């Protein structure tokens, strides 16, 4: 069965990952987390002590990264989520993802993963530029955002670092700025995206809203 593609873009802490995972589960489709692919490039760069400014080297490392349901792969092997979620990898991912050369390599990887998932029934694809660049023809595009204070708090809770709220908020601001201002695929809603402010909204409510929209757009009416 040919399925539906739902894209969920937005800044860190906007609720993207939790919403994408829950929506995919409710719709019984694959969840693709494209940030994990950028994180995998960053992890490789750190492991291999690559110069974060050397685009040629980073692009070569990106060629070793793959993307599947709920996971990124390096040289075909799934990477443990905890290895991708350290503060060092988070900071490095923000830098490597600003290079057009890296984005160029990961573009067909993301599209191929989405095409495969579509054939198996559909996918929720989460990232920064999915609705604008990676899958501009997706049936449903969602852009989530939330107040910076709340986003920082969510991140702090998620990682059990409530005591470091100020530091997390500052680091998030730096990454937000880099995501929004980079020339290659900056973070912004697609013109046909549905924008949802998740500030103060319970996760369940956001999930139900997206599921409802997806069911309406589904070729077979959900
Ligand atoms: O969503 P995340 O925090 O796991 O993403 C990790 C990094 O990758 C983040 O700095 C933004 C970047 N990214 C991107 O540039 N484009 C995407 N489609 C997904 C993530």
């Amino acid at each position: 069965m040919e399925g539906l593609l739902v894209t969920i873009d937005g800044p860190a802490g906007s609720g993207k990952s939790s919403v994408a995972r829950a929506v995919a589960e409710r719709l019984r489709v694959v969840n693709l987390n494209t940030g994990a692919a950028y994180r995998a490039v960053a992890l490789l760069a750190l492991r291999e002590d690559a110069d974060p400014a050397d685009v040629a080297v980073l692009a070569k490392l990106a060629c070793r990264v793959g993307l599947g349901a709920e996971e990124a792969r390096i040289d075909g092997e799934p990477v443990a989520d905890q290895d991708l979620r350290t503060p060092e990898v988070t900071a490095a991912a923000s830098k490597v993802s600003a290079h057009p050369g890296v984005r160029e390599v990961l573009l067909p990887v993301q599209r191929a993963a989405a095409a495969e998932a579509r054939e198996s029934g559909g996918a929720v694809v989460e990232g920064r530029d999915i609705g604008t660049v990676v899958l501009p023809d997706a049936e449903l595009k969602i852009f989530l955002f939330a107040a910076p204070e709340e986003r920082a708090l969510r991140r702090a809770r998620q990682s059990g670092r409530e005591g470091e709220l100020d530091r997390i908020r500052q680091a998030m601001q730096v990454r937000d700025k880099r995501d929004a201002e980079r020339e290659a695929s900056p973070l912004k809603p697609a013109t046909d995206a549905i924008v949802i402010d998740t500030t103060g909204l319970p996760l369940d409510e956001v999930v139900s809203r997206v599921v409802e929209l997806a069911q309406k757009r589904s070729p077979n009416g959900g």
Side-chain angles (χ1 to χ4, degrees), residues 9-13 16-17 33-39 84-85 89-98 103 110 126-130 134 155 175 178-179 182 184-185:
D9 291 302
K16 264 179 312 143
S17 298
N33 178 338
T34 62
Y38 287 96
R39 286 174 183 269
L84 296 179
R85 311 247 152 232
V89 169
T90 300
S94 171
K95 290 183 190 144
V96 305
S97 64
R103 306 197 71 83
Q110 296 168 87
E126 174 216 327
R128 299 290 189 289
D129 60 339
I130 311 303
V134 179
R155 264 297 143 98
R175 296 200 305 274
R178 203 180 283 133
D179 275 354
R182 68 173 174 234
S185 306

Side-chain angles (χ1 to χ4, degrees), residues 18 74 88 109 189:
S18 315
I74 293 178
E88 293 74 27
V109 172

Side-chain angles (χ1 to χ4, degrees), residues 20 24 27-32 68-70 113 116-118 120-125:
L27 295 174
R28 295 174 201 274
V29 298
V30 167
N31 178 24
L32 294 174
E70 300 278 3
E116 196 184 325
R118 192 200 269 282
S120 74
V124 177
V125 190

Side-chain angles (χ1 to χ4, degrees), residues 58-95:
L58 294 175
K60 222 171 181 179
L61 294 178
C63 293
R64 294 168 54 190
V65 169
L67 184 66
E70 300 278 3
E71 67 181 27
R73 293 185 288 262
I74 293 178
D75 300 329
E77 294 296 321
V79 197
D81 210 47
Q82 79 233 33
D83 292 343
L84 296 179
R85 311 247 152 232
T86 63
E88 293 74 27
V89 169
T90 300
S94 171
K95 290 183 190 144

Side-chain angles (χ1 to χ4, degrees), residues 83-219:
D83 292 343
L84 296 179
R85 311 247 152 232
T86 63
E88 293 74 27
V89 169
T90 300
S94 171
K95 290 183 190 144
V96 305
S97 64
H99 291 301
V102 171
R103 306 197 71 83
E104 227 167 82
V105 173
L106 291 185
L107 183 61
V109 172
Q110 296 168 87
R111 284 186 177 153
E116 196 184 325
R118 192 200 269 282
E119 272 180 31
S120 74
V124 177
V125 190
E126 174 216 327
R128 299 290 189 289
D129 60 339
I130 311 303
T132 49
V133 176
V134 179
L135 302 170
D137 298 328
E139 284 80 7
L140 175 63
K141 299 178 186 176
I142 303 289
F143 190 91
L144 301 181
F145 75 97
E149 293 297 312
E150 180 152 334
R151 296 200 285 117
L153 191 61
R154 286 177 187 165
R155 264 297 143 98
R157 283 192 184 134
Q158 242 170 26
S159 52
R161 294 183 292 141
E162 284 94 334
E164 298 171 52
L165 189 59
D166 277 345
R167 210 191 55 72
I168 289 174
R169 189 190 301 118
Q170 279 162 18
M172 199 178 244
Q173 252 169 18
V174 172
R175 296 200 305 274
D176 277 357
K177 195 162 159 11
R178 203 180 283 133
D179 275 354
E181 291 181 357
R182 68 173 174 234
E183 266 178 46
S185 306
L187 172 69
K188 61 168 188 218
T191 48
D192 53 349
I194 293 171
V195 179
I196 303 176
D197 180 356
T198 68
T199 313
L201 277 185
L203 174 68
D204 278 2
E205 201 173 316
V206 184
V207 172
S208 298
R209 228 186 264 185
V210 178
V211 167
E212 211 172 289
L213 287 164
Q215 283 167 340
K216 277 190 202 143
R217 304 268 170 111
S218 166

